[in-house]
Amino acid sequence: MVQKYQSPVRVYKHPFELVMAAYERRFPTCPLIPMFVDSDTVSEFKSEDGAVHVIERRCKLDVDAPRLLKRIAGVDYVYFVQKNSLNRRERTLQIEAHNETFSSRVIIKEFCCYTVHPENEDWTCFEQSASLDIKSFFGFESTVEKIAMKQYAGSIKKGKEIIEYYLKELEDEGVAFIPRWSPAVAPPAPVSITAQPEHPVSAAISIPAACAKESHSSKEALGAPGSPAEPLTGTPDDKLDADYIKRYLGDLMPLQESCLIRLRQWLQETHKGKIPKDEHILRFLRARDFNMDKAREILCQSLTWRKQHQVDYLLETWSSPQVLQDYYTGGWHHHDKDGRPLYVLRLGQMDTKGLVRALGEESLLRHVLSINEEGLRRCEENTKVFGRPISSWTCLVDLEGLNMRHLWRPGVKALLRIIEVVEANYPETLGRLLILRAPRVFPVLWTLVSPFIDENTRKKFLIYAGNDYQGPGGLVDYIDKEIIPDFLGGDCMCEVPEGGVVPKALYRTAEELETEDIRLWTDTIYQSGSVFKGSPHELLIEIIDASSVITWDFDVCKGDIVFNIFHSKRAPQPPKKDTLGAHSITSPGGNNVQLIDKSWQLGLDYSMVESPLICKEGESVQGSHVTRWPGFYILQWKFHNMPACATTSLPRVDDVLATLQVSSHKCKVMYYTEVLGSEDFRNACYDVESLGSMTSLESSHSGFSQLSAATTSSSQSHCSSMISR
């Protein structure tokens, strides 16, 4: 594989002629470059007017490589050929170098260029590029490549220091100005007036060629540029200035700078659409340890995603629903000690189930994305305010109040999907995550979530149990005492909402959510079903392996229903969407499905595997069933007929009220199901049980919360359902 390098534009705040005088002092040998042993002139050309000077040298390098490798290769020194072309008229110096030693096994090429700054003729720009292609090297190809890359990176930084060293030497000698080249003026025809003397012509000095690159690590044939104190705006738009990188992107190694520049160039040449900002490109490179191919792949996927969903305009187009403003317990709060924007999330006070039910996963995801987009904007602002690169933010998560209701399985699944989207499109944006007051239930949540979080991101997590965050090494090490939120014992008022339980009156059905023009995911966790009198809603689940576990979570949105589970050895006919009994209403949207044929006989064609469960309007039901046999399982939601009173012919008040509530004989449920393998099920049980007794669970129980009760033998059928009112 060919390794390539491209430098940013480095700027010397000195005239071209003075920089050239400093560059010439590096030859024929330079004590500041230990590997550069000597150089011999191979050929030289000077134009008659002295404007052009071309010199070719053979440079001798003592490469810093293991002695064993040198003995195997049979050489002590490596030779490079370097050609320098100086044009004083155009004020440019072009340097070309290639290896002579092992040229059939290793191909090293380098090109460097000194030019006048496009907007300030008294400044000098420097750029360089190089490539390394190791065809074969006695079985040590990888070793040679690593040695070459390491030494080349070192020589790049050294080259800049050398030029600045000789510029300082010239200054100490009193040489602060060297006149520009100008053509010799022919004496005019004899006249009585004497011609005015011209500016002295600079001598046509031999410009030492930067010794060619060693096994791609040669000395700075890569003459490096100087370093202006402030970023320059005069660099062409398609190029990056070294001082701009340092000011706005941070201190990067030479090869990291090269990856950024090359990926940026590739996007400019091939990408149709908005090119991301440099700091955003850099995040993707860091996320893949500056592997160009891997970073390019995930960046292109992210750019396609952003374009498809118009994420670039999210902050202008997205307006948080009122339920989020009231019940989403997160918000921005000043900054940490490093200048990173600080986001506070009181997760323990958040009703995750209520938010998912009231908003849907799409709106919740869009809100999280708007938080990330706002974080990017705040990072840019803080970079300007603090005068140093700030590319990530700090998140403070307070877990006080976290309990098993937060492990409600559909909510956890929605969380994992949000994490997946954020990890893919906002890499390296989290600088630090402070998790405070972690309760005993936290290890279960961490076990579920951590596999979906990048390893580099996990290293940024700091977890404090109880009040440990108040001691040494706690919160005050990362956040100024003056801005610690009041609910954590600080004096600063934090405007993050306190949250609370989302009223069930705000819950919405899947159909209502689907009518909204928000599609960041192509599917949804929840499905909805309509239940009519005489027309139950049924769901088919095929089980291949006995002892699998069917889990469910559903809300009764309207009316009262009876929940049943049946088993059949044969598959039912395709779902019927017929006219619904005496109502003569066709099922809207196909959300009423009937699987059990009218001709089937209970106990013959199918069997009931659990006792019926009556569920009232407004109840949330979660449960699990350990299957005994493979085959087809049917989950059924059936209209509940109120039984007549046994002691009187008069109807009960409750019956009358129930009849009025479901006068249309229609019920609605929103449900989620999942099939787990027996091992996964038992592991989940163990995780939950290891926390101790779970008998205090009340509302919004997840499938995980009652998995602990399902500890019967896998050869037995078992159903566990929990209802919250």
Side-chain angles (χ1 to χ4, degrees), residues 128-174:
Q128 71 187 98
S129 60
S131 64
L132 167 67
D133 186 9
I134 301 179
K135 304 293 185 182
S136 64
F137 204 85
F138 313 105
F140 291 91
E141 292 80 13
S142 178
T143 302
V144 171
E145 180 178 298
K146 290 178 181 178
I147 292 174
M149 296 298 288
K150 180 180 179 181
Q151 294 194 3
Y152 189 69
S155 69
I156 293 168
K157 298 183 69 174
K158 190 70 175 177
K160 176 182 178 180
E161 297 171 2
I162 292 169
I163 291 294
E164 292 179 338
Y165 172 85
Y166 285 125
L167 283 169
K168 181 66 167 57
E169 191 174 78
L170 286 169
E171 182 182 345
D172 294 341
E173 294 173 2

Side-chain angles (χ1 to χ4, degrees), residues 520-535:
L520 291 173
W521 286 325
T522 56
D523 58 351
T524 179
I525 290 178
Y526 275 89
Q527 301 179 60
S528 63
S530 296
V531 180
F532 297 87
K533 190 171 184 178
S535 299

Side-chain angles (χ1 to χ4, degrees), residues 336 340 342-345 347 392-399 419 429-436 442 446 449 453 456-464 475 478-479:
D336 69 5
R340 297 189 186 102
L342 176 63
Y343 190 83
V344 175
L345 180 64
L347 184 59
S392 60
W393 52 85
T394 292
C395 186
L396 186 156
V397 180
D398 179 24
L399 296 184
I419 290 175
T429 53
L430 183 64
R432 182 180 294 116
L433 180 65
L434 302 170
I435 299 176
L436 310 184
F442 176 71
W446 179 247
V449 171
I453 302 175
N456 290 333
T457 303
R458 291 202 300 269
K459 294 177 181 177
K460 303 171 184 176
F461 285 34
L462 296 172
I463 303 172
Y464 300 89
L475 206 54
Y478 306 101
I479 300 174

Side-chain angles (χ1 to χ4, degrees), residues 279-288 295 298-299 302 306 372 376 391-393 421-430 454 457 460:
E279 51 267 39
H280 201 55
I281 299 175
L282 186 58
R283 289 186 181 102
F284 283 86
L285 285 167
R286 283 177 169 149
R288 292 298 178 267
I298 61 172
L299 177 56
S302 179
R306 294 182 71 89
N372 281 269
L376 296 178
S391 61
S392 60
W393 52 85
V421 172
V422 171
E423 281 281 314
N425 298 284
Y426 300 91
E428 296 297 315
T429 53
L430 183 64
D454 179 75
T457 303
K460 303 171 184 176

Side-chain angles (χ1 to χ4, degrees), residues 183-461:
V185 179
V191 281
S192 57
I193 301 175
T194 308
Q196 284 292 91
E198 296 289 331
H199 289 294
V201 179
S202 58
I205 10 186
S206 164
I207 306 282
C211 50
K213 237 62 252 41
E214 147 307 291
S215 227
H216 132 291
S217 141
S218 61
K219 65 209 177 332
E220 201 247 358
L222 0 153
S227 56
E230 69 278 351
L232 304 173
T233 57
T235 304
D237 291 339
D238 61 338
K239 296 182 179 180
L240 287 182
D241 180 282
D243 301 297
Y244 159 82
I245 291 177
K246 184 175 182 179
R247 167 64 179 82
Y248 290 97
L249 304 180
D251 290 319
L252 302 179
M253 299 297 292
L255 297 181
Q256 294 175 341
E257 291 178 335
S258 173
C259 288
L260 173 62
I261 293 167
R262 287 163 52 208
L263 182 53
R264 188 174 182 268
Q265 288 176 342
W266 181 85
L267 287 171
Q268 290 171 335
E269 294 169 0
T270 63
H271 181 66
K272 296 180 181 179
K274 184 178 179 180
I275 302 298
K277 296 180 180 179
D278 299 321
E279 51 267 39
H280 201 55
I281 299 175
L282 186 58
R283 289 186 181 102
F284 283 86
L285 285 167
R286 283 177 169 149
R288 292 298 178 267
D289 295 325
F290 287 88
N291 183 304
M292 270 277 295
D293 294 334
K294 292 181 179 179
R296 177 167 52 200
E297 180 181 355
I298 61 172
L299 177 56
C300 288
Q301 291 172 354
S302 179
L303 292 177
T304 301
W305 173 83
R306 294 182 71 89
K307 182 177 180 181
Q308 179 182 355
H309 301 292
Q310 297 292 294
V311 179
D312 289 329
Y313 310 103
L314 186 61
L315 291 180
E316 292 77 22
T317 59
W318 167 253
S319 178
S320 298
Q322 189 61 44
V323 67
L324 275 175
Q325 298 177 32
D326 295 338
Y327 296 100
Y328 190 87
T329 55
W332 294 99
H333 181 76
H334 300 283
H335 56 80
D336 69 5
K337 287 188 174 181
D338 295 322
R340 297 189 186 102
L342 176 63
Y343 190 83
V344 175
L345 180 64
R346 303 185 68 179
L347 184 59
Q349 305 300 316
M350 187 183 297
D351 180 8
T352 53
K353 177 177 181 177
L355 288 175
V356 172
R357 289 291 176 82
L359 295 168
E361 305 132 63
E362 298 287 348
S363 291
L364 200 56
L365 171 62
R366 185 146 311 225
H367 182 65
V368 173
L369 295 183
S370 71
I371 294 171
N372 281 269
E373 290 294 309
E374 174 66 14
L376 296 178
R377 187 188 67 79
R378 287 174 178 261
C379 285
E380 291 182 24
E381 287 184 355
N382 286 18
T383 294
K384 297 174 183 177
V385 170
F386 293 100
R388 61 178 182 273
I390 295 174
S391 61
S392 60
W393 52 85
T394 292
C395 186
L396 186 156
V397 180
D398 179 24
L399 296 184
E400 184 181 51
L402 187 79
N403 54 45
M404 290 302 294
R405 66 185 173 86
H406 290 89
L407 299 186
W408 174 62
R409 191 168 179 79
V412 172
K413 190 169 183 179
L415 173 63
L416 296 180
R417 298 172 76 187
I418 289 174
I419 290 175
E420 186 178 7
V421 172
V422 171
E423 281 281 314
N425 298 284
Y426 300 91
E428 296 297 315
T429 53
L430 183 64
R432 182 180 294 116
L433 180 65
L434 302 170
I435 299 176
L436 310 184
R437 302 197 278 195
R440 294 177 61 208
V441 74
F442 176 71
V444 175
L445 181 61
W446 179 247
T447 300
L448 296 172
V449 171
S450 60
F452 294 85
I453 302 175
D454 179 75
E455 182 179 356
N456 290 333
T457 303
R458 291 202 300 269
K459 294 177 181 177
K460 303 171 184 176
F461 285 34

Side-chain angles (χ1 to χ4, degrees), residues 585-657:
I585 301 174
T586 303
S587 170
N591 61 348
N592 177 272
V593 178
Q594 299 172 52
L595 299 168
I596 300 177
D597 193 272
K598 300 292 185 183
S599 63
W600 279 22
Q601 296 182 27
L602 183 62
L604 182 63
D605 299 292
Y606 67 107
S607 59
M608 182 181 291
V609 296
E610 295 296 343
S611 300
L613 180 66
I614 298 175
C615 308
K616 302 290 187 179
E617 180 176 326
E619 290 181 346
S620 296
V621 182
Q622 301 85 35
S624 58
H625 173 82
V626 182
T627 62
R628 177 182 294 183
W629 317 279
F632 300 92
Y633 286 79
I634 300 172
L635 274 57
Q636 181 191 74
W637 291 268
K638 184 179 179 181
F639 187 88
H640 177 51
N641 291 305
M642 303 298 293
C645 182
T647 60
T648 176
S649 60
L650 296 176
R652 296 180 302 172
V653 174
D654 289 346
D655 294 346
V656 173
L657 293 176

